[in-house]
Amino acid sequence: MGDREEEEELQMALRMSLQGSPPGPQQPEPKRSKPPPPPSPPAGEESLDADAEARRRQRELRAAAAEKRLRAVLPSTPAAVAVAPVVSKEVEPADPEPEGVLPMEEVEEVEEEVEVEVEVEVEMVAGEEEDGEKLPLDVAEKLWIMVFGDKVREEVLAPWVKQGIRFSSDPETTMGLVQHEGGPCGVLATVQAYVLKYLLFFSDDLGNPEVNDPFYALGQRRFYQSSFAAKDDFSSLTDDRKARALVHAMLEILFLCGNGNKAIIASIGGCNQAKTARVLEGLSVDSAMDLQKVIRISTFTSRKDAFNSLLANIFLFESRLGALLFLISALLSRGLEHIQEDRDDPSLPLVTAPFGHASQEVVNLLLCGEAVSNVFDGKVDYGGMFLKGIPSNVEVGFLTLLEFLNFCKVGQYLKCPKWPIWVVGSENHYSVLFALNPNVQEENELEERESKIRRAFDAEDQSGGGGFISVEGFQKVLRDTDINLPSDKLEGFCNAGIIVWSEFWQALLQLDKRAGGMKDPTGLLGKKQFTIYHFNGIAKSVLNVNANTGGSTPIQRPRLCKLNVSVPPRWTQDEYLADVVSASTSGSKDGSILSLAPPVQTSQHAPLVDCIRTRWPRAVCTWDGDVPSIV
């Protein structure tokens, strides 16, 4: 019997077993437990040879294995399955009780070792259909090189194929996403910032698929900024509310990357929630080809449809490929060509060696929708070469220790976001800072005045945040901010050729408010006091005390720290100069100098405080318990 006839017989056997009735009135239902022996040969003919007998048994074993596997994944009703039509063929009746065949127990043992080679076209019922399109191989290759480079080391790739987007099970940090290894923190921290936006300020609207639309958020922000402060009772959050906040956060980011018009969602093809763990258990993603085999992409222009799709497939983003799937979704939503155009150096991978950290471009993509390389506002012209920064206001912001260390200058767009939530960067990690009341960002009259002058100065600063401008730029700043410097001061600045911000600021501190300066005879320019929280998603081992036994066991959980922040009044010029003199003559006992310095306040210090001071200069911070960590 030829291979084609064998395949046709096997398809007929499958068809009969799945439909529950034989194809002909005179044909008995085949028994899978005891495959029939071959018919007796006619007189004068030899019996089947050994090869024919082996093929017959193999066909029966394949049929049994295929039937069992199909019944395991398909609905029980016959109407749910449609088998591809086969060529009709007469099948010889089986003997009722054949002897000398494998019993059912041995068939079940052997079928796991036999590969089912016959392809059956199966049409799944609604809800079981494979969503999305297959990722083209050339796109997968471009995507892989863009993210990981030509050659990726195991220590760089490993964190990205082991990190899901999952909430902490610890009651105190249940609103936070847990990170188990270094690497994807740039993605997790940025998603976390958006999650907090919805949990804190949109908690009553999480059932509305349109709540992540910017126009809806605009009206809500005005309400919250007027009088409302969120609550810090995170332990009362339900799993459903957290899941919806996560979906809203992811959706807002993806539509932001898609310029508000579309969102592309990457998922794992043909994988439902029941099969996710089994499919991912043996799945290896080591190359673009591995990625291309499993990734499916779906494009949405409707926020409601995208919301429902994400909510139904949130288990995929909770899986070990969750962080990578979301990064791919964001990159595809922006478009790979646009990603490369955004960047200063598109030849570098977005995931950096040696530890696989997300680059600043990844964080900026999720914050502002563009994969720009810098954190200053707008563009800077370096002799005809433009470097791109943050293009406009953002929903959640960014602060970094690198600014305190004078490696960069964060612009006002990121420092003053629409909501009081900031991603915090250190040399090798990202975490989140947030306040419960939007009023922490409100400024008094003189603060607004300083911000206006600083923005005007930075707009003329062509050094990328270096803090100096040209004479022409200085003249424009004076006109735009209504500053009337005395003629001798003005002439001194212009003769220098370059105007440095620190010198300009000292002159403003001596200039009366009526002339556009900052001098206030009272010296009280608006003291602030507020509470702020820091969340670090990296899991840390802490002792969990059992109230019943009195013992304690170590558990892994993220860290949440509550800080009390006090921002003293701005210094007068005398205080500023006295502090400089005091610092340069440390150990001096001159009471006249020390008496001019600002009053000493009890404070605690950590690198996080240095980050906070890039947003609120001279902030004094205190907290209870462990030192807040940004690494």
Side-chain angles (χ1 to χ4, degrees):
M1 184 182 292
D3 292 340
R4 179 176 178 82
E5 293 176 341
E6 294 175 10
E7 179 176 327
E8 291 174 351
E9 283 192 5
L10 179 53
Q11 289 184 352
M12 179 64 75
L14 289 173
R15 183 177 183 181
M16 288 189 297
S17 65
L18 292 173
Q19 291 182 344
S21 60
Q26 297 180 352
Q27 198 167 14
E29 181 178 355
K31 295 182 179 181
R32 295 295 174 213
S33 60
K34 294 183 178 182
S40 299
E45 290 186 15
E46 295 181 357
S47 61
L48 294 174
D49 58 21
D51 291 340
E53 176 68 14
R55 288 198 301 271
R56 183 189 62 75
R57 289 200 177 194
Q58 190 179 47
R59 290 199 308 273
E60 293 297 339
L61 291 177
R62 288 175 179 174
E67 178 183 349
K68 183 175 180 181
R69 293 174 187 175
L70 285 171
R71 288 189 181 281
V73 299
L74 295 179
S76 58
T77 171
V81 181
V83 181
V86 298
V87 179
S88 176
K89 178 173 172 47
E90 192 76 11
V91 179
E92 296 176 352
D95 291 339
E97 292 291 338
E99 296 180 0
V101 297
L102 292 174
M104 187 60 186
E105 292 77 10
E106 293 185 33
V107 171
E108 291 178 348
E109 292 177 2
V110 176
E111 69 179 11
E112 296 180 0
E113 302 176 3
V114 178
E115 179 181 1
V116 180
E117 298 175 350
V118 179
E119 296 184 358
V120 181
E121 296 180 12
V122 180
E123 182 180 351
M124 310 295 271
V125 294
E128 293 288 337
E129 294 182 357
E130 185 175 296
D131 294 330
E133 300 177 356
K134 200 168 184 178
L135 188 66
L137 182 57
D138 61 329
V139 176
E141 290 173 345
K142 290 179 182 178
L143 185 63
W144 186 270
I145 293 175
M146 180 184 297
V147 176
F148 296 112
D150 292 323
K151 297 180 181 179
V152 55
R153 301 207 307 263
E154 173 63 24
E155 55 268 31
V156 172
L157 180 61
W160 288 91
V161 296
K162 297 179 181 179
Q163 181 64 61
I165 304 177
R166 295 186 297 272
F167 284 97
S168 168
S169 59
D170 172 61
E172 182 182 346
T173 58
T174 185
M175 83 303 169
L177 303 175
V178 184
Q179 181 183 350
H180 298 291
E181 295 185 55
C185 53
V187 171
L188 292 180
T190 311
V191 173
Q192 176 72 72
Y194 281 91
V195 167
L196 287 169
K197 167 188 168 180
Y198 287 99
L199 287 178
L200 296 176
F201 304 115
F202 295 85
S203 59
D204 295 334
D205 301 305
L206 295 177
N208 181 0
E210 304 291 337
V211 71
N212 52 70
D213 188 287
F215 292 104
Y216 183 95
L218 180 62
Q220 197 76 349
R221 182 167 62 251
R222 290 170 179 167
F223 165 73
Y224 278 103
Q225 284 184 328
S226 62
S227 60
F228 185 82
K231 298 179 180 179
D232 61 355
D233 184 15
F234 304 124
S235 62
S236 63
L237 293 171
T238 64
D239 290 341
D240 179 69
R241 295 176 76 85
K242 291 188 294 184
R244 289 179 177 273
L246 176 58
V247 169
H248 280 301
M250 295 167 66
L251 197 58
E252 179 175 0
I253 294 172
L254 294 182
F255 268 97
L256 181 65
C257 295
N259 201 28
N261 300 318
K262 68 175 181 179
I264 295 180
I265 300 176
S267 61
I268 300 175
C271 189
N272 58 34
Q273 187 166 5
K275 296 191 298 180
T276 301
R278 186 170 75 252
V279 170
L280 293 179
E281 183 177 356
L283 180 63
S284 176
V285 181
D286 298 320
S287 66
M289 186 171 295
D290 293 337
L291 198 68
Q292 189 263 345
K293 288 178 180 178
V294 297
I295 293 294
R296 300 294 182 271
I297 55 174
S298 302
T299 303
F300 296 90
T301 57
S302 164
R303 288 179 182 265
K304 182 177 180 180
D305 292 344
F307 176 87
N308 292 333
S309 177
L310 272 176
L311 191 62
N313 293 282
I314 195 64
F315 62 90
L316 289 175
F317 293 93
E318 294 172 342
S319 74
R320 67 177 179 88
L321 290 181
L324 181 59
L325 281 176
F326 185 70
L327 175 59
I328 291 172
S329 300
L331 294 172
L332 293 176
S333 294
R334 175 62 177 159
L336 302 189
E337 296 298 328
H338 289 303
I339 294 289
Q340 297 297 70
E341 292 172 0
D342 291 340
R343 307 171 65 196
D344 288 348
D345 187 353
S347 66
L348 299 176
L350 293 172
V351 171
T352 61
F355 304 113
H357 294 121
S359 66
Q360 186 65 47
E361 294 158 326
V362 170
V363 175
N364 287 348
L365 173 66
L366 306 186
L367 288 175
C368 74
E370 298 182 14
V372 294
S373 305
N374 307 288
V375 292
F376 50 71
D377 293 343
K379 297 180 180 180
V380 173
D381 183 3
Y382 279 99
M385 181 180 70
F386 286 93
L387 299 183
K388 298 178 182 178
I390 306 302
S392 60
N393 290 324
V394 294
E395 293 289 313
V396 297
F398 179 76
L399 303 175
T400 176
L401 183 65
L402 298 181
E403 180 176 11
F404 174 80
L405 298 175
N406 292 321
F407 286 108
C408 67
K409 175 66 178 176
V410 179
Q412 293 300 305
Y413 289 150
L414 289 177
K415 279 186 180 176
C416 304
K418 297 176 184 177
W419 298 96
I421 307 168
W422 297 264
V423 175
V424 175
S426 66
E427 297 97 325
N428 56 8
H429 187 54
Y430 294 98
S431 52
V432 182
L433 189 73
F434 64 97
L436 305 179
N437 195 326
N439 290 337
V440 301
Q441 296 218 90
E442 290 185 357
E443 297 180 326
N444 59 35
E445 178 184 356
L446 288 177
E447 287 176 324
E448 291 178 354
R449 175 69 179 161
E450 180 195 354
S451 297
K452 180 180 179 180
I453 296 172
R454 184 72 211 222
R455 283 194 299 270
F457 189 94
D458 289 345
E460 301 300 320
D461 186 352
Q462 300 300 309
S463 65
F468 56 87
I469 60 177
S470 65
V471 173
E472 293 77 9
F474 180 58
Q475 295 284 1
K476 187 175 186 303
V477 170
L478 297 180
R479 292 194 302 270
D480 292 346
T481 55
D482 297 323
I483 296 175
N484 297 313
L485 286 173
S487 57
D488 58 332
K489 283 284 186 183
L490 179 60
E491 185 178 353
F493 278 120
C494 293
N495 289 339
I498 293 178
I499 291 81
V500 181
W501 167 256
S502 59
E503 297 175 355
F504 181 42
W505 177 243
Q506 290 184 39
L508 291 176
L509 289 173
Q510 299 179 63
L511 186 64
D512 192 88
K513 286 170 37 178
R514 291 170 294 184
M518 305 296 295
K519 186 175 182 179
D520 178 18
T522 66
L524 301 175
L525 306 186
K527 181 178 180 179
K528 283 187 175 182
Q529 288 183 317
F530 55 89
T531 300
I532 204 164
Y533 295 79
H534 178 254
F535 176 79
N536 190 339
I538 197 79
K540 179 185 178 183
S541 181
V542 297
L543 291 179
N544 183 35
V545 179
N546 191 318
N548 297 326
T549 63
S552 59
T553 55
I555 61 172
Q556 295 285 322
R557 71 172 190 179
R559 290 159 285 175
L560 180 67
C561 182
K562 179 180 179 181
L563 299 93
N564 299 311
V565 181
S566 176
V567 183
R570 297 185 185 276
W571 300 344
T572 64
Q573 174 67 5
D574 290 340
E575 290 171 340
Y576 181 89
L577 293 176
D579 188 71
V580 171
V581 173
S582 176
S584 62
T585 57
S586 56
S588 170
K589 304 299 182 181
D590 189 342
S592 62
I593 294 179
L594 296 178
S595 64
L596 293 174
V600 177
Q601 295 181 263
T602 302
S603 66
Q604 295 168 280
H605 186 264
L608 175 62
V609 177
D610 294 328
C611 294
I612 292 174
R613 286 175 177 170
T614 64
R615 173 62 182 85
W616 293 281
R618 301 182 66 246
V620 175
C621 301
T622 60
W623 58 84
D624 295 326
D626 295 339
V627 176
S629 173
I630 59 175
V631 297

